[in-house]
Structure formats: C-alpha cells, structure tokens
Amino acid sequence: EPAPAPAATPAEAFAAKLDTVLAGAHRNDANKARDAFRHPKETLGFFGLAPGQTVIEITPGGGWYTEILAPTLKGEGTFVGAIIDPTSVASEGAKAYYTKGNQALRDKLAANGDLYGEAQLVEFNMSSPTFGADGSADLVVTFRNVHNWVGQDAAQGMFDGFFKVLKPGGVLGVVEHRANPDDAREVKDLAKTGYFKEALVIEMANKAGFQLAEQSEINANPADTRDHPNGVWNLPPSSNMENIPEADHAKYAAIGESDRMTLKFVKPAQ
C-alpha cells in the first residue's frame, strides 16, 4: 500500500489557498489578465504574507489586491483596507472622487459575504493618518499609490503612520511606478507623471524609522521607457491615448504595464 501523503504544513496549505483565490471565479478576466504584470503570488510571498497576520492594505482603490488578500486571510488572519476619509481632503473634486470610490469598494465587499465577510475598512485622515492601534499590524502593503500622496503633501505622514501601526519586526511592502533615477524634475512634477524615484521612497521610509530589508525586480518592466506624454497612464490598464497619434497606440499596448519598484521595509525590533 502506498504511504499516505504527508500532511501539508500550515505554510503549504496557505500557499494552496492563495492559488485557489487567484484562480477564483470572483476575479474577472480583466483583473486576472493583470497577474502577468503584477505577479501577486510572488509579490505577496516576497513581502512575507503568512497565516495569522493582521494585514493592512493602504488605499485599495477598486480592490484589485483586496480580491486576493481578503479571501486568503479569511478565517486565518485579519484584512483591513485603509481608505481616505473624504471629509479630510480639501478639494471638492477629491471629496467626490473618494466618496464614490469608497462606496464602490464597500458595495463590492458587501456583495460577496462568503469571501469578504470578515474584511474591515477603516477611514483615515490624509493630514494626520492613523490606520489602527499602534503596534497592531504585521504587514502593511500599498500598491502604486506613493505618487498620489506626494501630490497632496501627505507622503511623509503616511510613512510615519505605517511605522506607528506596525509591530516591531513588522513589514511594509511598497510597489510603485519607478521613475528614471536621473529624472531632473521637481518631486511634485515627477509625481504628476505617476512615476516616482526609488531613492525618494527609500528616503521617506528611512526617515519614518524603517530599514530597507530587500528590493526585488519581480515587477520590473525593462520595455518601459518611463517618459510617456500622458505619464504612466499611457500604459495599460489605463491606456490614456489623449493627443497620441493613432500610429503610436500599439506601441504603448506592447510595452504592457509600467516598470515598478518592489521594496520590503522592516520596523526594527525593539
């Protein structure tokens, strides 16, 4: 008789659960098509996602990563999505944008209680962000958001807030569109393109108290020249072709999604 297969370790079982979620019917084909550029399994593995963690996703937007994280952590961890309190932003346009986006995310989670019933959403104030009790999170992750905070003069405060909410030894994982390191533009002008310098992200994290543990090229795209007329939004999935000659449309589609930095920071153990 063949020997029984050894029982999966908790880590193996969790990895298998993540695979099941990635292949799940709750993710539409358009979102699954982004996996080839966003490498969610490898990226979350690099950041150290594990069962039992409290994970905070910062400004989840439409919930592309929420669709992966919340069901994977359900029953064996805590997922928190941190969303911007619309009353804390100055412009009426931004207020309306965040109000609409937050409601869409709430509706998405409410529509599928089986997958998202345990997911929590917390609102934070952009000018003095707190994401939960100090020292309560194991992992904070944020995907393609840093340029937005720079435009609102809020970036350093965000990194300070991440540091506070993480436990000693906790991890901050950052994925961001990566600018050319020798781009001479002012920080805010650069942020308007959607791209941002890796060195500046590291500097802000260091200033908050983090140590850079590791950098990965998982989400690199050498085909991205990072100098497009409409910034990162020329590329998929936005594919903003305003004022772009028809003949050039295929060029941007062929590049694929942007070149991205993937940085893992650690809050030093006390």
Side-chain angles (χ1 to χ4, degrees), residues 64-86:
W64 191 90
Y65 255 103
T66 305
E67 287 183 354
I68 300 166
L69 284 165
T72 302
L73 288 162
K74 184 172 184 261
E76 45 194 328
T78 302
F79 171 83
V80 180
I83 55 179
I84 295 168
D85 175 356

Side-chain angles (χ1 to χ4, degrees), residues 120-139:
Q120 302 171 24
L121 293 180
V122 299
E123 288 193 347
F124 67 90
N125 183 316
M126 272 306 264
S127 58
S128 54
T130 51
F131 309 105
D134 288 0
S136 61
D138 300 283
L139 176 62

